[in-house]
Amino acid sequence: MNKCDQLYEGKAKKVYATEDPNCVIVSYKDDATAFNGLKKGTITGKGAINNKMTNHLMKRLEANGIPTHFVEQLNDRETVVKKVSIVPLEVIIRNISAGSFAKRYGVEEGIVFAAPTIEFSYKDDDLGDPLINDSHALALGLATQAEIDLIKRYAFAVNDLLKAFMKEIGIDLVDFKLEFGKTADGTIVLADEISPDTCRLWDETTHEKLDKDRFRRDLGGAEEAYEEVMRRLMGE
Ligand code: TMP
Ligand code: ASP
């Protein structure tokens, strides 16, 4: 499949049309941003790692009953995915306190929750992706109640699976963000990416951060952390 016109450029990926109206090509960049684009940088090799890791995880999720947008990897950085309209809700699942949760509620990071939490952010960079609840999402017409219910069900199922995949490689899945899309026939599928950009991943024994917090918090070693997760997950 060939790249045609560029449809969109986001902070970490570009999206191209293809000759198939139902498919687009995603191209992953090494660009890294944080705090709604205020902090900018590069994590060398990130694009290829996030592309390959996302595809690996999406295939395993699909095999376990989660519908995804994945079609076919083209090369290190580029993948064919189903064309979807993204539901403008960032779905965040947390197993352990960290990041904005710890800050908002004034608790330390590292509290293991008895049950996972879910929250939505309204995906709108101009507004800074504000937290949103179901009734506000319904009022704004961002999704139907049935779609929200299905998205929640998929998100918790993804958590169970991802937590297990990470545990196998000695990593605690702290939290992560998912995005869902709607295909032309209205089917809800898991879209976007699953990578150290969108998950917090802590080594289960040392608690070392193996994710984008190394960039967000200027801890150094982001490249090595992404490579480490890739090596443990895929042996590459
Ligand atoms: P938070 O603690 O900053 O709200 O982040 C929760 C999770 O969501 C964390 O794993 C990082 C991920 N995330 C994104 O993928 N994109 C974003 O824009 C933000 C703010 C968080
Ligand atoms: N990707 C987001 C941004 O640039 C934030 C983040 O991942 O922390 O704003």
Side-chain angles (χ1 to χ4, degrees):
M1 202 166 296
N2 294 304
K3 278 193 294 193
C4 303
D5 292 346
Q6 184 177 307
L7 299 175
Y8 173 78
E9 176 160 9
K11 291 190 284 253
K13 299 186 277 300
K14 295 181 185 177
V15 180
Y16 297 88
T18 67
E19 54 273 19
D20 180 341
N22 293 314
C23 290
V24 295
I25 291 172
V26 177
S27 178
Y28 286 72
K29 305 191 283 186
D30 284 353
D31 300 354
T33 66
F35 316 116
N36 201 14
L38 281 180
K39 182 181 170 84
K40 289 191 174 68
T42 303
I43 300 174
T44 306
K46 169 173 96 75
I49 290 175
N50 287 2
N51 181 40
K52 290 188 269 188
M53 204 184 297
T54 296
N55 294 341
H56 171 92
L57 292 171
M58 292 245 180
K59 279 191 251 182
R60 288 175 75 180
L61 292 172
E62 190 92 50
N64 283 278
I66 309 290
T68 78
H69 71 165
F70 177 76
V71 177
E72 178 193 16
Q73 182 170 307
L74 290 179
N75 54 53
D76 267 9
R77 277 176 196 277
E78 295 176 331
T79 294
V80 181
V81 299
K82 292 175 196 156
K83 185 171 183 166
V84 296
S85 59
I86 291 287
V87 177
L89 294 172
E90 299 197 344
V91 184
I92 296 157
I93 298 269
R94 301 178 191 270
N95 296 303
I96 299 176
S97 66
S100 69
F101 181 99
K103 204 167 168 192
R104 182 176 319 116
Y105 300 118
V107 296
E108 76 262 34
E109 298 197 313
I111 302 165
V112 179
F113 303 142
T117 69
I118 191 164
E119 75 214 40
F120 294 127
S121 294
Y122 178 25
K123 190 173 155 64
D124 185 319
D125 281 342
D126 292 341
L127 299 175
D129 298 338
L131 266 185
I132 190 167
N133 66 23
D134 295 30
S135 69
H136 289 180
L138 281 174
L140 291 172
L142 306 183
T144 65
Q145 187 64 57
E147 287 166 350
I148 292 172
D149 291 345
L150 186 59
I151 284 171
K152 285 185 183 171
R153 192 154 64 73
Y154 284 154
F156 282 119
V158 168
N159 184 48
D160 288 341
L161 292 162
L162 271 188
K163 232 173 24 179
F165 300 162
M166 291 301 166
K167 205 64 197 170
E168 281 169 9
I169 57 169
I171 288 174
D172 285 328
L173 178 63
V174 174
D175 56 29
F176 59 96
K177 185 264 299 180
L178 300 176
E179 295 184 25
F180 291 85
K182 254 187 341 184
T183 60
D185 68 4
T187 306
I188 297 275
V189 297
L190 181 63
D192 194 51
E193 66 179 280
I194 306 173
S195 71
D197 271 18
T198 61
C199 303
R200 284 198 174 91
L201 305 168
W202 294 354
D203 182 275
E204 69 176 353
T205 34
T206 65
H207 304 299
E208 189 190 354
K209 297 183 197 319
L210 299 172
D211 57 62
K212 195 176 162 190
D213 271 351
R214 303 211 71 85
F215 168 78
R216 295 190 189 98
R217 303 180 185 191
D218 293 321
L219 301 175
E223 280 86 358
E224 292 77 5
Y226 281 61
E227 282 162 13
E228 173 68 15
V229 179
M230 169 98 153
R231 191 188 58 71
R232 290 197 205 178
L233 192 65
M234 302 176 66
E236 288 183 28

